[in-house]
Amino acid sequence: MRHSLPTLLALGLLVACSPGNGTPSAPPAADSAPQHPADQRPFVVNEITRFDEPWAMSFLPDGRHLLVTQKRGELKLIGLDGTSADITGLPEVAYGGQGGLGDVVLHPDFSRNQLVYLSYAEAGERDTRGAAVARARLTVDGKGGGKLTGLEVIWRQVPKVQGDGHYGHRIAFGPDGYLWISSGERQKFDPAQDMASNLGKILRLNEDGTVPADNPFVDEGPVAAQVWSLGHRNPLGLAFNAQGELWEIEMGPKGGDELNRIERGANYGYPIVSNGDHYDGRPIPDHDTQPQFRAPAISWTPVISPSSLIFYNGERFPAWAGSAFASGLSSQSLVRIAFDGDNTREAERFDIGERIRAVAQGPDGDLYLLEDGRRGRLLRLSPPPAAE
């Protein structure tokens, strides 16, 4: 069921005036998740190297190297032996707050075309900024580094606004070859429900940034045509499971971080509903007060501050097959999410002791973590020797 923006906002204001709507309607899933002391974790942790504000990583097909972005606008080619070299040819980024160079993802046919996709914060007029996605060809030189050539911007947030938060800008390719982008609402609330804006949305595009003809809102204007789902806050994780379903994880306001299964044309309710409250204390109605909006599969209060999402399909940790993993910033954790039919739950939480910006599965089946911050480590999580 779809509603016009004025109707949605009117409903939200009406319910927001009712008492008690800011209280989460169910216990947070994290309450029952096992916590593992460091000496009982099912993995050992090894540091590979360190970075200056790393944000994202992507493994190259050789399985021995990966690309790592740094927020100030650097792209590094990293060897699993700790070697590091620069990739040149990057776009100019608007660094500050949550803005800078963001995600890095390889084209599904990278081995043939060498195309790399990057997201970043881009400056506009009158002190405005917005996320952008560009693609370019990567050429690796004989000295261990390389360069990007033919860089072209294929997508931008509309409109650019002032402020430096909630860009979202995670990138994923689906099993059908479409390009998916998560777009945050830039701390402006209402654009998440405004179909003249692509803020607060999950977007589905062709690999060149054009719009697929069968998108759900393709007849509602050029910006709305990009949209697959709406009503998101700050979506920082985007991943497909083995069944081809798209899942998204996002930061809620004061409480109410969300894990959502993304459905065609669905509205996830923000800022009209949320299982958290505004930071100034104003309540937001819960999802169960307005069932026309999609409710999250899991919500977290207290929050975990999710920063990325993957599904695990490796052989190194067979007990985790089919699980999802979310990296946590304020929770300084790696969160394992289990799925049993329609039952989705936080299964385990591993305290890493630092803010975790990203988690990835390596071609070897190990897990790799990027710590946040000026001395953020690249960590490798492997089975203990006795378990191999």
Side-chain angles (χ1 to χ4, degrees), residues 117 133 135 152-156 173 179 181 203-212 215 222 225-226:
Y117 289 71
V133 172
R135 67 176 183 174
E152 59 174 336
V153 179
I154 62 171
W155 175 83
R156 288 184 166 98
F173 275 97
L179 173 67
I181 302 170
L203 311 168
R204 176 186 184 244
L205 304 174
N206 295 315
E207 63 178 60
D208 61 358
T210 58
V211 175
N215 271 6
Q226 304 173 6

Side-chain angles (χ1 to χ4, degrees), residues 231-302:
H232 301 284
R233 184 174 182 267
N234 190 21
L236 285 169
L238 204 58
F240 285 87
N241 65 11
Q243 292 73 45
E245 298 172 333
L246 179 61
W247 290 77
E248 168 265 351
I249 198 165
E250 66 184 73
M251 289 191 181
K254 189 176 181 181
D257 287 347
E258 294 183 10
L259 176 74
N260 293 299
R261 185 166 69 88
I262 299 302
E263 299 180 34
R264 174 189 175 87
N267 189 333
Y268 292 80
Y270 191 79
I272 299 171
V273 293
S274 172
N275 287 352
D277 294 334
H278 291 296
Y279 280 104
D280 63 7
R282 289 177 297 133
I284 305 174
D286 288 350
H287 279 86
D288 61 6
T289 66
Q290 298 200 44
Q292 73 270 27
F293 299 118
R294 292 290 195 277
I298 304 177
S299 66
W300 285 270
T301 302

Side-chain angles (χ1 to χ4, degrees), residues 98-138:
Q98 296 174 15
L101 187 59
D103 214 350
V104 55
V105 171
L106 306 185
H107 187 281
D109 200 13
F110 174 83
S111 296
R112 180 185 62 83
N113 61 29
Q114 285 79 53
L115 284 175
V116 174
Y117 289 71
L118 299 165
S119 68
Y120 58 100
E122 178 186 61
E125 298 179 350
R126 296 184 294 277
D127 193 36
T128 60
R129 286 163 289 283
V133 172
R135 67 176 183 174
R137 280 186 169 81
L138 172 65

Side-chain angles (χ1 to χ4, degrees), residues 150-164:
L151 187 134
E152 59 174 336
V153 179
I154 62 171
W155 175 83
R156 288 184 166 98
Q157 281 183 329
V158 178
K160 285 184 168 66
V161 298
Q162 293 184 342
D164 54 15

Side-chain angles (χ1 to χ4, degrees), residues 34-330:
Q35 308 286 319
H36 293 279
D39 60 353
Q40 297 179 19
R41 296 186 301 199
F43 53 78
V44 294
V45 180
N46 289 291
E47 176 183 334
I48 294 176
T49 189
R50 296 187 180 227
F51 299 93
D52 182 5
E53 293 185 278
W55 208 91
M57 57 183 152
S58 186
F59 278 87
L60 295 181
D62 68 4
R64 296 178 287 107
H65 294 86
L66 65 162
L67 298 171
V68 176
T69 60
Q70 295 185 151
K71 274 180 63 180
R72 292 178 183 270
E74 299 92 13
L75 181 63
K76 300 287 187 179
L77 179 62
I78 304 299
L80 291 183
D81 59 359
T83 57
S84 175
D86 293 325
I87 302 295
T88 61
L90 277 292
E92 183 177 352
V93 307
Y95 170 78
Q98 296 174 15
L101 187 59
D103 214 350
V104 55
V105 171
L106 306 185
H107 187 281
D109 200 13
F110 174 83
S111 296
R112 180 185 62 83
N113 61 29
Q114 285 79 53
L115 284 175
V116 174
Y117 289 71
L118 299 165
S119 68
Y120 58 100
E122 178 186 61
E125 298 179 350
R126 296 184 294 277
D127 193 36
T128 60
R129 286 163 289 283
V133 172
R135 67 176 183 174
R137 280 186 169 81
L138 172 65
T139 302
V140 178
D141 60 36
K143 300 178 181 179
K147 62 180 180 180
L148 297 178
T149 59
L151 187 134
E152 59 174 336
V153 179
I154 62 171
W155 175 83
R156 288 184 166 98
Q157 281 183 329
V158 178
K160 285 184 168 66
V161 298
Q162 293 184 342
D164 54 15
H166 293 192
Y167 293 95
H169 66 27
R170 283 285 179 190
I171 310 169
F173 275 97
D176 52 9
Y178 289 111
L179 173 67
W180 300 78
I181 302 170
S182 71
S183 179
E185 46 71 74
R186 298 286 280 108
Q187 298 177 312
K188 305 301 180 186
F189 308 105
D190 295 343
Q193 295 293 330
D194 183 358
M195 294 301 285
S197 165
N198 57 21
L199 307 182
K201 315 292 196 303
I202 303 298
L203 311 168
R204 176 186 184 244
L205 304 174
N206 295 315
E207 63 178 60
D208 61 358
T210 58
V211 175
D214 60 345
N215 271 6
F217 306 107
V218 74
D219 295 327
E220 299 185 19
V223 176
Q226 304 173 6
V227 175
W228 189 262
S229 66
L230 63 149
H232 301 284
R233 184 174 182 267
N234 190 21
L236 285 169
L238 204 58
F240 285 87
N241 65 11
Q243 292 73 45
E245 298 172 333
L246 179 61
W247 290 77
E248 168 265 351
I249 198 165
E250 66 184 73
M251 289 191 181
K254 189 176 181 181
D257 287 347
E258 294 183 10
L259 176 74
N260 293 299
R261 185 166 69 88
I262 299 302
E263 299 180 34
R264 174 189 175 87
N267 189 333
Y268 292 80
Y270 191 79
I272 299 171
V273 293
S274 172
N275 287 352
D277 294 334
H278 291 296
Y279 280 104
D280 63 7
R282 289 177 297 133
I284 305 174
D286 288 350
H287 279 86
D288 61 6
T289 66
Q290 298 200 44
Q292 73 270 27
F293 299 118
R294 292 290 195 277
I298 304 177
S299 66
W300 285 270
T301 302
V303 298
I304 59 172
S305 303
S307 54
S308 69
L309 180 71
I310 67 164
F311 282 87
Y312 185 79
N313 61 5
E315 298 179 356
R316 297 273 278 169
F317 297 96
W320 293 348
S323 292
F325 284 90
S327 53
L329 291 168
S330 66

